[in-house]
Amino acid sequence: MPRIGMEPLRRKALVDATLRAIGQHGSLDVTMSDIAREAGVSPALAHHYFGSKQQLLVATIRSLLTRLRADTVTAMEHLDTPRERLSAIIRVSFQADQFAPETVAAWLAFYVEAQRSEEVRRLLVIYSRRLRSNLLHSLERLCPPDDAARIAEGVAAMIDGLYIRQSLRSAPIGSTASIALTEDYLDLQLRPFLPAKLS
């Protein structure tokens, strides 16, 4: 008989193993057996909990998004200024666990899968809209709406672009450098508006 309380632990182990397996392969070309082996459970148990590889992939993306959202909320707690909140969003986007090579490879694989899977595409659209909304919320307190929308798109594009460059591994830049580049871009874009706001 299964031990009570083991299901959540095994589900999490399978989700974590999926992330590692995809990251190691650099694509979604992994089997349930590969994932189960990585998690230290039987393929039958993996199928029991998730039904199919597709359902496990979706659960893995949801887990990434849930963690990213929770980390963003925590990072922005007790921050008073919109500029501080923008920096918190950028820091969370490039924090060590999200910007680890395996996780970056998994994100890229999920974007490829979104071209075929409507459910995966929908989840990644949710991520994109949430990032834009978080950026806009602070930017609209610093500059006019049209400029806020333009800058939000630019920051989001920089974040996505730096993930793509990291995934290529030919010229990876670390988390600290990625944060600095994005902050430099944001400072440059906000420079015309900050004096008026601070006066």
Side-chain angles (χ1 to χ4, degrees):
M1 287 182 59
R3 286 178 285 170
I4 294 177
M6 286 303 292
E7 181 173 347
L9 296 176
R10 284 182 172 149
R11 281 181 172 273
K12 183 181 185 312
L14 283 161
V15 164
D16 292 344
T18 302
L19 203 55
R20 289 193 304 274
I22 292 169
Q24 289 160 10
H25 281 76
S27 74
L28 298 183
D29 188 25
V30 294
T31 65
M32 285 291 262
S33 293
D34 295 329
I35 295 167
R37 190 180 314 110
E38 183 72 30
V41 301
S42 70
L45 196 63
H47 281 284
H48 170 73
Y49 285 135
F50 289 100
S52 69
K53 186 176 96 170
Q54 182 68 15
Q55 289 174 316
L56 183 48
L57 292 177
V58 168
T60 303
I61 298 169
R62 284 187 192 279
S63 173
L64 274 176
L65 295 178
T66 299
R67 190 170 71 213
L68 189 59
R69 182 178 188 184
D71 289 347
T72 302
V73 169
T74 300
M76 291 196 297
E77 280 178 349
H78 313 301
L79 296 181
D80 298 322
T81 71
R83 186 62 185 85
E84 288 174 330
R85 293 169 70 84
L86 289 165
S87 287
I89 294 166
I90 292 167
R91 277 195 315 275
V92 168
S93 295
F94 295 111
Q95 65 190 0
D97 61 336
Q98 286 287 341
F99 209 52
E102 288 180 359
T103 310
V104 170
W107 273 111
L108 200 63
F110 293 143
Y111 271 97
V112 172
E113 179 65 12
Q115 308 306 306
R116 296 187 292 267
S117 165
E118 180 59 30
E119 190 167 14
V120 171
R121 191 191 73 81
R122 184 178 59 80
L123 288 171
L124 293 177
V125 166
I126 288 170
Y127 153 73
S128 181
R129 287 179 178 165
R130 188 179 293 156
L131 174 60
R132 186 175 188 275
S133 174
N134 285 336
L135 292 167
L136 273 176
H137 180 73
S138 293
L139 284 166
E140 286 177 343
R141 295 170 59 192
L142 297 171
C143 55
D146 287 349
D147 291 294
R150 174 180 56 79
I151 296 169
E153 291 297 337
V155 171
M158 278 204 74
I159 292 169
D160 290 345
L162 287 165
Y163 266 77
I164 291 170
R165 289 188 65 179
Q166 183 75 354
S167 73
L168 297 176
R169 297 182 186 170
S170 57
I173 64 172
S175 175
T176 302
S178 296
I179 292 169
L181 275 172
T182 311
E183 287 280 1
D184 285 348
Y185 169 81
L186 186 55
D187 283 339
L188 184 65
Q189 295 301 313
L190 287 175
R191 192 172 296 159
F193 308 106
L194 289 179
K197 281 287 176 182
L198 295 175
S199 61

